[in-house]
Amino acid sequence: MTRPRISARISAISESATLAVDAKAKAMKAAGRPVIGFGAGEPDFPTPDYIVEAAVEACRNPRFHKYTPAGGLPELKQAIADKTLRDSGYQVDAAQVLVTNGGKQAVYEAFATLLDPGDEVLVVAPYWTTYPEAIKLAGGVQVDVVTDETTGYLASVEQLEAARTERTKALLFVSPSNPTGAVYSPEQVEAIGRWAAEHELWVVTDEIYEHLTYGGATFASIATVVPELGDRVVVLNGVAKTYAMTGWRVGWLIGPKDVVKAATNLQSHATSNVSNVAQAAALAAVSGDLSAVEKMREAFDRRRQTMVRMLNEIPGVLCPEPKGAFYAYPSVKELLGRDFGGRRPETSAQLAELILEEAEVALVPGEAFGTPGYFRLSYALGDEDLVEGVSRVAKFLGQVG
Ligand SMILES: Cc1ncc(COP(=O)(O)O)c(C=O)c1O
């Protein structure tokens, strides 16, 4: 009998659709085509100088040339605990922090640590592409709670309750959300947190976009708003989006001590400590003020307004106002099956493909986020490119027959 070359567990993982769109757009660009990419999930700003300088200094420090504790530099863990109290009012101590190789590793380790095979996790759709793979790898079962543009992609307690079973172990809570930009109000956060506490569910809360909210929306940490959740909360976060540090790969997980200890054991065998140079940079970032992110936030807010206005002017496109992160998530359902110069895309994936070929604009189709019929557009790109890119999409979609 021939055995499969790749294990069933790993063959079940799909390629990251967002990275795939980005790679295709970059390849077309490299071939000389003037592609405008709305695919990337990263700020277009450079990392602030004082952070880069801290890393340069760390390179010259012999202490950082060696292994350091697998769970993170003690001074960084303390600084993350302090920053968490400053930014979300959540009091934790350094032993509750695990420094990870980006927020992605924190997502993976959180589910690997919490889930046994068959445990169900409630996930609000549209959801970020990495969650299903992390849940699946841990043997968990994802249960989708589907939202749409009519509620601004916000899930209600009633919807969550309808999806809960006796196998439900955790709720994944993401606000501000990637891909929709939805932000739950503090009252909504409280209602959902109370419901989770009442049913003794774990809450895994991804707070990586905490500083990017707009138009009066405010971030509220479910861990702070609902202290009754007690020791069943795991907070995921990182420096990538707040400090324009996607390439540095530093994130973290905050949780009860037993969870953090277990996740640290896992990490100690998988990757050991995160690069010390990157940790030193992250230390400068989280210990500093928030002026750099405030400047980025203002630019994102301006671009957000331009993008949403332009998208909503396109017949057949419906874009609720995103209140956080840096993504717009319009519905294009009305345009599917229609005639575009002899081509009739039936799915948002096909329509995105056509737009990339014909209008040279890269968008991520909703299929990547569990909800076909939509596009995700990042507005973390320059103002001029943004206007040019959406204008090209408008022109292409405007020829609908
Ligand atoms: C919702 C969300 N969580 C976590 C991450 C992880 O970011 P990183 O691994 O770059 O720190 C991302 C990145 O796109 C994200 O959108």
Side-chain angles (χ1 to χ4, degrees), residues 21-22 25 29 34-40 360-363 378 380-381 385 389:
V21 168
D22 202 40
K29 246 189 190 163
V35 174
I36 293 182
F38 289 107
E360 299 180 312
V361 172
L363 317 152
S378 161
L381 77 172
D385 273 0

Side-chain angles (χ1 to χ4, degrees), residues 96-393:
Q96 291 179 260
V97 178
L98 165 61
V99 179
T100 58
N101 198 58
K104 268 189 183 166
Q105 193 180 18
V107 170
Y108 173 78
E109 290 178 350
F111 290 119
T113 304
L114 292 180
L115 300 181
D116 275 318
D119 284 346
E120 292 178 0
V121 182
L122 300 180
V123 178
V124 175
Y127 45 74
W128 179 47
T129 36
T130 287
Y131 301 133
E133 309 304 336
I135 292 169
K136 222 171 8 184
L137 272 172
V141 176
Q142 173 173 336
V143 175
D144 288 357
V145 176
V146 181
T147 63
D148 65 20
E149 62 279 17
T150 59
T151 61
Y153 308 106
L154 294 171
S156 64
V157 168
E158 292 68 35
Q159 273 180 296
L160 294 169
E161 176 59 17
R164 188 177 65 83
T165 74
E166 60 198 24
R167 307 252 21 201
T168 308
K169 175 147 187 196
L171 163 70
L172 173 62
F173 188 70
V174 189
S175 174
S177 151
N178 172 6
T180 64
V183 180
Y184 290 81
S185 70
E187 295 72 33
Q188 289 164 325
V189 173
E190 184 179 347
I192 289 173
R194 286 243 166 95
W195 164 83
E198 183 191 330
H199 298 289
E200 299 186 352
L201 301 182
W202 285 76
V203 176
V204 176
T205 173
D206 186 337
E207 304 188 343
I208 204 154
Y209 293 101
E210 65 183 326
H211 292 294
L212 296 174
T213 58
Y214 316 101
T218 49
F219 162 76
S221 175
I222 198 164
T224 313
V225 174
V226 188
E228 307 91 280
L229 285 168
D231 65 354
R232 283 192 312 274
V233 184
V234 174
V235 179
L236 311 176
N237 206 332
V239 291
K241 319 286 176 175
T242 302
Y243 305 98
M245 290 179 71
T246 46
W248 295 81
R249 310 310 304 137
V250 182
W252 55 86
L253 173 162
I254 295 174
K257 286 185 182 146
D258 56 343
V259 168
V260 170
K261 176 81 182 66
T264 306
N265 289 346
L266 165 63
Q267 181 162 301
S268 75
H269 292 293
T271 54
S272 290
N273 63 275
V274 172
S275 157
N276 293 320
V277 172
Q279 289 196 70
L283 177 60
V286 297
S287 319
D289 66 22
L290 295 167
S291 52
V293 62
E294 180 49 26
K295 256 193 221 131
M296 286 199 299
R297 200 194 64 78
E298 280 166 16
F300 291 149
D301 191 12
R302 184 180 67 239
R303 297 165 186 178
R304 172 186 78 103
Q305 294 180 41
T306 306
M307 179 178 270
V308 172
R309 179 179 45 75
M310 289 181 73
L311 286 171
N312 278 321
E313 282 166 11
I314 306 173
V317 174
L318 201 80
C319 186
E321 188 189 353
K323 298 280 174 52
F326 39 63
Y327 309 100
Y329 202 73
S331 162
V332 291
K333 283 177 279 193
E334 274 187 35
L335 295 170
L336 300 178
R338 307 275 293 273
D339 182 86
F340 293 92
R343 309 269 287 272
R344 283 183 185 276
E346 296 292 339
T347 64
S348 43
Q350 288 168 3
L351 184 55
E353 185 99 29
L354 203 55
I355 291 173
L356 182 56
E357 279 165 28
E358 303 289 328
E360 299 180 312
V361 172
L363 317 152
V364 189
E367 280 82 349
F369 312 105
T371 54
Y374 298 81
F375 288 152
R376 188 193 77 173
L377 292 87
S378 161
Y379 46 84
L381 77 172
D383 298 69
E384 276 176 28
D385 273 0
L386 185 149
V387 170
E388 166 66 17
V390 184
S391 302
R392 284 191 207 167
V393 174

